[in-house]
Amino acid sequence: MARREAARLLHRLGPLAVESPTRGMPHSQHESTNRIVNSCRRFHWIPSLQRPLCGPTTSGGIYEGQSSANKACEVQKRTFGSAATHIQRNPAYSELNSDDVSYFKSVLGENGVVQDEDRVMSCKCRLDGRLAVVPQGGNTGLVGGSVPVYDEVIVGLAGMDKIISFDNVNGILTSEAGCVLENLSKLVENEGFIMPLDLGAKGSCHIGGNISTNAGGLRFIRYGSLHGSVLGLEVVLADGTILDMLTTLRKDNTGYDLKHLFIGSEGSLGVVTKISVLTPAKLPSTNVAFLSCNDYKSCQKLLLAARRSLGEILSAFEFMDHHCIDLAMRHVEGVHNPLPASPYKFYVLIETTGSDESYDKTKLEAFLLRSMEDGLVADGVIAQDISQATNFWQIREGISEASVKVGAVYKYDLSIPVEKLYDIVEEMRCRLGDSAEVLGYGHLGDGNLHLNIVSSKYDDNTLGRIEPFVYEWTSAQRGSISAEHGLGLMKAEKIHYSKSPEAVQLMASIKKLLDPNSILNPYKVLPQSVL
């Protein structure tokens, strides 16, 4: 029966955390916003609205929950800044009812079931139906990957927050998937190691969600993607099978490396419940420089020079245009421009980490001197203490927060060849004129552009000039429409801009094999037409 299958899945997932049933992100768009989670064992039921969350409604009356659905649609537009996808509810899924809730309570206990309304729908249980579930971690994503679309059961993982072990010789961390990234960072740093990824949302995001979305972040240039750092996983499949791949071995060449199927699959193939990850050693020397450049070409040449001259100590190379700096100065509290008199168009933040403070700083200073002599750097400053270094990073990480404070913001996370990366920013400014402010910043060392388009209010005409042009342009450069945020709900139907029909069809075949009833995170990652 459907409820028994779903209950078995939930039961095998162990402790489940309280998560807000609100559709859309629970934060403002600033990715570092913290929130408090409860660690009880629970799941949520969202009563069916019987209409698409952001789709058209039929005339002839207002259904129950119409008002909340309309509000949710506005939250979705406001949060994800992309065209709302009109998705019809899959009629093959069961609607959760009183019998299902009673059964779940018998498995998880009375306190393990949370409903967002006082009454439960009373309707006949369809024993041949299917209950869809949405795995949810810190809910900090920007593409709607962890939120329900209709009446899916939310599987909250915040209660799975135990540290299983830490090997302080090899730097291998094993933990449950609900651990907050910042908490893990503090733990391993106390042991002389660091997490291989660092995100603005580290105070809220979960390591399981990071792995499920293959999150990138600020350390990507140094340590690469999670495909290289994750050693093992435990995953619960759609039928409740526990797939134990929780190895801590650096080398294991026996058969297919199945964990890579689940890294970046956004919970659509299985629910990650435990992880083991290799953590790099924490190096004692860190230096941060904040530089200005006259043009984007200089930024490109500076990146190449940094790779050659700084080599093994280069740990971050971030760029921002002057629109980003101006915005951050106006809207981010407590920051100041390290180069207040500079009228330059671009800014670069470089971080180095190494084992010899004197050697590393001398190396960085020599690199900057050569870069200024070569005309690549117009002005710059090296942080002299932790306070200055923190200020530099707050400017970079505060751009997302600052853009939200202006009003409406359309966010795009693009991977583009470095030499063409800023062209889309200039093209978009030509298309939009004075109707919106276009910001370009991101991880230049990874070819990852964060394109933010800021306006006083959301407007369909503005959106129509942005999409689908931004996706078509990126596709023409053989780029990716999602460098690190994933596809989720907002970009599932746009996957063809980055992947061939054959690749999408193969993904669908894998999905059907592991989740034949498509109950895991429905409407996400893949177009409905291929499932």
Side-chain angles (χ1 to χ4, degrees), residues 23 49 51-54 57 63-75:
R23 295 162 176 81
L49 296 177
R51 293 290 189 275
L53 179 60
C54 286
T57 59
Y63 64 91
E64 182 181 0
Q66 175 70 64
S67 175
S68 62
N70 290 339
K71 290 179 181 178
C73 179
E74 290 305 312
V75 168

Side-chain angles (χ1 to χ4, degrees), residues 54 73 76-78 80-87 143 410-412 458 460 463-464 466-468 470-471 489-494:
C54 286
C73 179
Q76 186 186 54
K77 288 179 65 179
R78 191 167 62 248
F80 305 119
S82 186
T85 303
H86 292 195
I87 296 177
V143 291
Y410 305 86
K411 289 177 174 283
Y412 299 92
Y458 286 102
D460 289 340
L463 185 58
I466 299 172
E467 298 183 19
V470 64
Y471 300 125
L489 171 67
M490 301 307 296
K491 296 181 181 179
E493 299 294 330
K494 302 176 177 69

Side-chain angles (χ1 to χ4, degrees), residues 222 283 306-315 353-354 359-360 363:
R222 180 72 172 265
L283 302 177
R307 291 186 188 277
R308 288 175 172 171
S309 299
L310 300 177
E312 78 287 352
I313 66 172
L314 181 64
S315 55
T353 55
Y359 171 79
D360 293 347
K363 192 173 186 178

Side-chain angles (χ1 to χ4, degrees), residues 321-343:
D321 62 25
H322 71 93
H323 297 275
C324 297
I325 299 297
D326 294 343
L327 192 72
M329 292 304 107
R330 295 197 306 267
H331 296 288
V332 180
E333 295 182 5
V335 301
H336 62 274
N337 191 344
L339 306 171
S342 60

Side-chain angles (χ1 to χ4, degrees), residues 479-496:
S480 171
I481 63 168
S482 183
E484 59 183 3
H485 293 166
L487 294 169
L489 171 67
M490 301 307 296
K491 296 181 181 179
E493 299 294 330
K494 302 176 177 69
I495 191 174
H496 62 276

Side-chain angles (χ1 to χ4, degrees), residues 28-41:
S28 71
Q29 292 230 358
H30 181 33
E31 296 168 347
S32 64
T33 304
N34 293 328
R35 72 188 183 97
I36 300 173
V37 294
N38 192 313
S39 60
C40 300
R41 299 189 307 148

Side-chain angles (χ1 to χ4, degrees), residues 61 142 146 244 285 331 354 416 502:
L142 295 175
S146 62
D244 185 358
S285 169
H331 296 288
I416 303 169
E502 294 79 11

Side-chain angles (χ1 to χ4, degrees), residues 29 173 194 231 255 427 493 503 510:
Q29 292 230 358
L173 171 70
I194 62 171
L231 301 178
E427 290 255 13
E493 299 294 330
I510 295 171

